[in-house]
């Protein structure tokens, strides 16, 4: 291998949009993206701070379900990214199966049909069964639901990082699930010890 460094892996990291991205793409302006997967083949992530104006209860009604979780009744649904915007993506705490070490060899299988386990302790499910669990008052303790996702082709994210389009920091699940939506950008920056005004291309000017 001629490459002297190991390939970059930003799985379970936040991408925090730099102010310059406002010109390039209004969708990603002031966005915080949680990266579910990043490898030499590319990256996949969900924007965690762009609410759509629809609540989780309303989304479930669209698929003929009733939300059975009072704690999530006011949870917003987010614009997860510009791709597959009709499809739901559920980011959630890892679900431990009822019988750990049962028939499953490693005892770590998700109870849902289509779940990606993310190194860092979270999972992302795209199958409807997780919504059905929420309708029955069960399901993961903390969830963030998006419509759509963001993705980068091989090498694309690396070149955007080289152009200083994004800051990166290891993800904090509290920012994803607990922080007020309007504070998530600043909370993510704070993980780097930064404040948004210090990033302004024209510091101090409107």
């Amino acid at each position: 291998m001629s490459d002297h460094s190991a390939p970059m892996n930003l799985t379970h990291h936040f991408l925090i949009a730099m102010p310059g991205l406002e010109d390039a793409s209004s969708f990603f302006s002031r966005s915080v993206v949680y990266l579910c997967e990043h490898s030499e083949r590319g990256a996949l992530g969900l924007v965690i701070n762009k609410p759509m104006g629809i609540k989780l209860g309303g989304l479930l009604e669209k698929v003929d379900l009733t939300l059975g979780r009072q704690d999530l009744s006011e949870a917003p649904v987010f614009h997860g990214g510009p791709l597959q915007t009709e499809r739901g993506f559920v980011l959630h705490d890892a679900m431990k199966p009822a019988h750990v070490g049962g028939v499953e060899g490693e005892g770590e299988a998700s109870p849902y049909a289509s779940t990606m386990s993310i190194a860092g302790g979270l999972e992302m499910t795209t199958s409807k069964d997780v919504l059905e669990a929420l309708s029955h008052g069960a399901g993961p303790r903390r969830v963030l639901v998006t419509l759509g996702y963001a993705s980068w082709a091989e090498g694309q994210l690396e070149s955007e990082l080289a152009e200083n389009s994004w800051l990166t920091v290891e993800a904090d699940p509290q920012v994803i699930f607990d922080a007020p939506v309007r504070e998530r950008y600043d909370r993510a920056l704070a993980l780097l010890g930064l404040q948004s005004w210090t990033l302004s291309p024209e510091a101090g000017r409107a």
Side-chain angles (χ1 to χ4, degrees), residues 25-125:
S25 159
S26 57
F27 182 87
F28 286 114
S29 161
R30 280 184 68 86
S31 65
V32 180
V33 182
Y34 175 76
L35 281 183
C36 303
E37 187 174 41
H38 181 219
S39 70
E40 63 279 1
R41 295 187 305 278
L44 182 154
L46 302 174
V47 178
I48 64 161
N49 66 331
K50 302 265 178 178
M52 296 186 71
I54 175 176
K55 301 284 191 246
L56 188 50
L59 179 68
L60 263 70
E61 281 171 20
K62 287 179 184 286
V63 291
D64 300 320
L65 294 171
T66 305
L67 183 61
R69 288 271 301 274
Q70 200 56 45
D71 58 314
L72 297 173
S73 59
E74 289 301 301
V77 174
F78 293 86
H79 283 291
L83 303 173
Q84 293 194 20
T85 53
E86 294 298 304
R87 190 172 174 201
F89 297 82
V90 183
L91 187 63
H92 56 85
D93 285 317
M95 293 293 288
K96 296 286 183 276
H99 300 292
V100 176
V103 239
E104 292 293 332
E106 61 249 21
E108 285 299 318
S110 167
Y112 307 122
S114 184
T115 294
M116 171 194 293
S117 285
I118 303 161
L122 299 182
E123 293 179 342
M124 192 266 284
T125 297

Side-chain angles (χ1 to χ4, degrees), residues 1-7:
M1 278 183 51
S2 56
D3 189 16
H4 60 279
S5 61

